[in-house]
């Protein structure tokens, strides 16, 4: 027996791979189990073409055994095994995958694909092991062989004894260091957890000797330790079962087992796609918002499997941000993975799956809205804000996708309604979809600007979320109806002749309004007679795209944007207060200034804006009281 060197490029690849390709050491067990599953699959494929071979599934399994005393971890399988030449080729040349070659020669049948494609997964064992020994006996061979290596320095191959066909890989686990705990890979509970996490749906049994206890014979209250061989993986994933076999309880149990959330999902989506791209998926729409959902710490994404092997815990590329509340998994044979099988390469298949998932989620939400309104309202209370952000984000690129899912509180219905429901109720003479913004429904209902719209019998949508108006600005119009803020300059409403300020009144009060504008220089763009006020004396309206509510939100942001809406102070010329204004304008400039500032500050308070000088405001009130 002589020691053989890895090829120079293989040696460099091994050193690089051990140190950088895999981000988590625990991945090694996934890789070795996947290779063992491949080995069993190869016998299965051979049996399909060779009538002399009988594949009895009960005879095939993978066994994981840890020995703390000798610090060894053994992964054995009853698969096809390797000859001396195959050990040399598959393990002596890194990145020369026997599974990949076998896959090319034997197209997958019966929906089961070989997992290994890169030939580097085996070497992940050196992340945790100082010595790796492989004893293998190939199908149809009388002689077994042993391959052994301590890493990049090389390997040896020699004859060995092994009774049964298959492969046994023994890892001598490294000693602990100050930084690294390698003992965990000898702990029964830890190994079981890694198997459940990554390899739970390998279709062959993965067995372990599990520690238990039983009453000790001849004694009361005493127990003795037992070891019982158990299958620790589920094998058949729920997503590969027929939907007709599954109950709502099955889906809920899966949701809880995978710890997708602590709530009960409102709805599930089970996808079995067999078209341009083949994949299975189970998605869940949760009921409650995760505690960190609206924080930077929240990580969106679906679990990604390749042939039942977990590749990524959170694959963000499978789902748009506005549907980031969706939990679940995707399993596909068609995805192109990178060399470590930890990351996806962006390709057409990934894009197709993501597009299909997006459409399925939207379809399910629309169905929930139509058929289970109460459930949808529960969902919307938790995640409606995210849908609105999706409309606003990326300059409104997704508004067509999301606008039918939006809901807002209605002045008429006294509950949340959709844009479609609003438009269906619009009278023929109504030009716009009206909305009002504020901190709460109660505050909006008291806004003077709503009077004329409500008096006309028109419905108003109440925007109480800080994202609402920004999202609507992106939509611009819905079913050819533009959105119009009740505080905007032009409401498109014809006033009754008795209430409408005449041209004569406008001209008559021109000097008064110009004087008031001078007093409020820099604070308002104009002062004018109001066309919208009925019972209130004063209000603020705006001109341009930036509204008062948007100004408040932008100013409250951490970067504190210095923005200013173009405000107009509107005066109700039919109110008794206006008579006092006119009287003051006839000669008492000090009183006119007092009244003007009072009215302006009142308008600010109505809008929830801060009075610039609270002390001066209270002094002004005192002046009119004495």
């Amino acid at each position: 027996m002589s020691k053989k060197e890895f090829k120079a490029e293989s040696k460099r690849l091994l050193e690089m791979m051990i140190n950088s390709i895999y981000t988590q050491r625990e991945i090694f067990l996934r890789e070795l189990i996947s290779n063992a599953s491949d080995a069993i699959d190869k016998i299965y494929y051979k049996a399909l073409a060779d009538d002399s071979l009988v594949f009895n599934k009960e005879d095939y399994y993978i066994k994981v055994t840890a020995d703390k005393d000798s610090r060894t971890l053994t992964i054995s399988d009853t698969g096809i095994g390797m000859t001396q030449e195959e050990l040399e080729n598959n393990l002596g040349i890194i990145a020369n995958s026997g599974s990949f070659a076998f896959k090319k020669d034997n197209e997958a049948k019966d929906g089961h694909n070989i997992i290994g494609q890169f030939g580097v997964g085996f070497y992940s064992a050196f992340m945790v092991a100082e010595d790796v020994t492989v004893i293998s006996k190939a199908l149809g061979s009388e002689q077994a062989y042993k391959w052994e290596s301590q890493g990049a320095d090389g390997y040896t191959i020699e004859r060995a004894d092994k009774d049964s066909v298959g492969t046994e890989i023994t890892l001598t686990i490294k000693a602990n260091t100050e930084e690294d705990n390698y003992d965990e890979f000898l702990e029964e509970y830890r190994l079981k957890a890694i198997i459940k996490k990554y390899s739970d749906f390998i279709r062959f049994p993965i067995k372990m000797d599990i520690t238990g206890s039983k009453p000790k014979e001849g004694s009361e209250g005493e127990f003795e330790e037992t070891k019982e061989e158990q299958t620790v993986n589920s094998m058949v994933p729920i997503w590969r079962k027929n939907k007709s076999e599954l109950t709502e309880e099955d889906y809920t149990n899966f949701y809880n087992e995978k710890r997708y959330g602590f709530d009960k999902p409102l709805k599930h989506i089970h996808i079995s796609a067999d078209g341009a791209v083949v994949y299975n998926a189970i998605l869940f729409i949760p009921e409650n918002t995760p505690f960190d959902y609206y924080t930077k710490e929240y990580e969106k994404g679906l679990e990604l499997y390749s042939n039942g092997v977990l590749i990524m815990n959170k694959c963000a590329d499978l789902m748009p941000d506005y549907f980031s509340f969706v939990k679940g998994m995707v399993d596909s044979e068609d995805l192109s993975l990178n060399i470590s099988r930890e990351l996806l390469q962006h390709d057409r298949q990934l894009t197709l799956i993501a597009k299909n998932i997006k459409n399925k989620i939207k379809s399910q939400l629309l169905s929930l809205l139509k058929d289970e309104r109460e459930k949808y309202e529960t969902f919307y209370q938790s995640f409606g804000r995210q849908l609105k952000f999706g409309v606003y984000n990326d300059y409104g690129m997704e508004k067509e996708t999301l606008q039918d899912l939006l809901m807002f509180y209605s002045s008429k219905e006294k509950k949340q309604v959709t844009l479609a429901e609003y438009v269906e109720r619009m009278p023929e003479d109504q030009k716009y979809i009206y909305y009002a913004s504020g901190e709460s429904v109660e505050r909006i209902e008291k806004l003077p600007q709503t009077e004329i719209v409500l008096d006309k019998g028109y419905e108003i949508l109440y925007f109480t979320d800080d994202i609402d108006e920004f999202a609507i600005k992106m939509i611009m119009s819905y079913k050819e109806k533009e959105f119009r803020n009740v505080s905007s300059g032009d409401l498109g409403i014809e006033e009754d002749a008795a209430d409408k300020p005449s041209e004569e009144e406008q001209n008559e009060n021109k000097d008064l309004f110009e004087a008031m504008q001078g007093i409020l220089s820099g604070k308002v763009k104009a002062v004018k007679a109001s066309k919208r006020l009925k019972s209130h004396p004063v209000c603020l309206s705006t001109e341009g795209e930036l509204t008062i509510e948007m100004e408040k939100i932008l100013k409250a942001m951490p970067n504190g944007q210095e923005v200013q809406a173009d405000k107009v102070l509107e005066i109700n010329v039919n109110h008794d207060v206006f008579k006092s204004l006119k009287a003051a304008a006839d000669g008492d400039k000090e009183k006119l200034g007092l009244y003007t500032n009072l009215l302006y500050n009142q308008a600010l308070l109505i809008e929830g804006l801060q009075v610039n000088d609270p002390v001066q405001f209270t002094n002004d009130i005192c002046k009119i009281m004495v």
Side-chain angles (χ1 to χ4, degrees), residues 275-535:
V277 62
V278 178
Y279 73 96
N280 293 290
I282 296 180
L283 312 175
F284 295 95
I285 298 170
E287 181 177 17
N288 299 326
T289 314
F291 71 94
D292 61 345
Y293 185 68
Y294 290 111
T295 69
K296 291 180 180 178
E297 285 70 39
Y298 181 78
E299 189 179 2
K300 72 158 187 165
L302 302 175
E303 286 186 327
L304 178 70
Y305 292 81
S306 178
N307 293 297
V309 178
L310 181 65
I311 303 301
M312 293 178 71
N313 273 318
K314 301 278 188 180
C315 182
D317 295 326
L318 284 170
M319 202 165 47
D321 284 345
Y322 51 81
F323 287 155
S324 59
F325 49 81
V326 173
K327 302 289 186 180
M329 52 66 55
V330 174
D331 185 9
S332 177
E333 303 168 355
D334 293 344
L335 294 173
S336 298
L337 307 176
N338 72 354
I339 196 169
S340 70
R341 294 213 297 254
E342 289 185 89
L343 300 171
L344 283 170
Q345 294 177 4
H346 291 269
D347 60 8
R348 181 172 172 270
Q349 285 82 4
L350 181 66
T351 304
L352 284 173
I353 292 175
K355 182 180 179 181
N356 195 13
I357 283 175
K358 180 185 81 171
N359 292 336
K360 291 284 187 182
I361 294 170
K362 179 185 175 181
S363 177
Q364 184 63 265
L365 289 174
L366 286 173
S367 175
L368 205 63
L369 174 61
K370 179 184 175 184
D371 302 325
E372 298 178 81
R373 181 64 171 247
E374 192 174 329
K375 276 190 177 183
Y376 187 82
E377 288 177 0
T378 299
F379 151 78
Y380 196 79
Q381 187 174 358
S382 295
F383 302 106
R385 180 181 174 84
Q386 189 68 11
L387 300 183
K388 296 170 193 173
F389 181 77
V391 170
Y392 171 73
N393 204 26
D394 293 330
Y395 305 99
M397 290 286 290
E398 295 293 333
K399 65 181 181 181
E400 298 293 333
T401 302
L402 298 171
Q403 60 188 9
D404 289 327
L405 298 171
L406 301 183
M407 299 181 80
F408 302 97
Y409 186 88
S410 161
S411 63
K412 183 170 287 187
E413 298 296 312
K414 304 299 181 185
K415 63 179 183 180
Q416 299 277 348
V417 301
T418 65
L419 296 177
E421 290 164 346
Y422 180 100
V423 171
E424 284 169 10
R425 288 193 291 267
M426 283 177 64
E428 286 186 19
D429 64 336
Q430 185 177 336
K431 293 181 181 179
Y432 303 116
I433 299 172
Y434 294 107
Y435 69 88
S437 298
E439 295 172 9
S440 66
V441 168
E442 292 73 24
R443 288 201 67 162
I444 295 174
E445 285 179 329
K446 295 174 183 177
L447 285 176
Q449 296 92 323
T450 64
E451 281 187 312
I452 190 171
V453 180
L454 294 175
D455 281 356
K456 290 290 288 185
Y458 297 158
E459 187 173 1
I460 301 175
L461 297 176
Y462 291 174
F463 290 179
T464 55
D465 212 341
D466 56 12
I467 190 69
D468 288 347
E469 198 164 6
F470 292 92
I472 288 303
K473 292 286 185 184
M474 286 297 175
I475 296 177
M476 296 176 65
S477 65
Y478 182 80
K479 294 190 176 178
E480 300 181 353
K481 293 289 185 180
E482 289 183 33
F483 293 90
R484 190 57 55 96
N485 191 317
V486 296
S487 297
S488 64
D490 179 17
L491 292 176
I493 295 175
E494 288 296 324
E495 294 100 332
D496 294 333
D499 298 326
K500 182 179 180 181
S502 66
E503 288 294 325
E504 186 178 333
E505 283 178 309
Q506 293 278 17
N507 293 329
E508 181 185 331
N509 299 311
K510 183 179 177 182
D511 292 342
L512 169 60
F513 293 149
E514 286 180 354
M516 293 177 70
Q517 186 175 343
I519 294 167
L520 298 173
S521 178
K523 297 177 181 177
V524 297
K525 189 175 183 181
V527 179
K528 65 182 183 182
S530 178
K531 297 179 180 181
R532 77 187 77 231
L533 293 174
K534 297 285 185 178
S535 60

Side-chain angles (χ1 to χ4, degrees), residues 40-90:
I40 299 173
D41 266 324
K42 289 174 183 177
I43 292 186
Y44 170 76
Y45 288 128
K46 281 190 175 294
L48 292 176
D50 187 347
D51 293 338
S52 65
L53 279 176
V54 178
F55 186 85
N56 183 6
K57 192 172 181 180
E58 286 69 32
D59 296 335
Y60 297 94
Y61 60 89
I62 300 160
K63 182 75 179 281
V64 177
T65 307
D67 186 330
K68 289 184 180 180
D69 294 334
S70 62
R71 293 192 67 79
T72 58
L73 178 67
T74 301
I75 297 93
S76 59
D77 65 66
T78 57
I80 200 167
M82 287 179 278
T83 63
Q84 181 180 5
E85 183 182 5
E86 286 169 334
L87 282 169
E88 180 82 47
N89 290 336
N90 294 343

Side-chain angles (χ1 to χ4, degrees), residues 158-173:
E158 61 181 317
R159 287 171 173 260
D161 295 323
K162 192 176 189 306
D163 295 333
S164 58
V165 171
T167 299
E168 182 180 280
I169 302 173
T170 300
L171 282 61
T172 302
I173 301 299

Side-chain angles (χ1 to χ4, degrees), residues 585-599:
D586 289 338
D588 194 339
K589 289 186 178 180
E590 185 179 345
K591 187 171 285 188
L592 178 62
L594 175 66
Y595 289 170
T596 299
N597 282 315
L598 276 171
L599 286 171

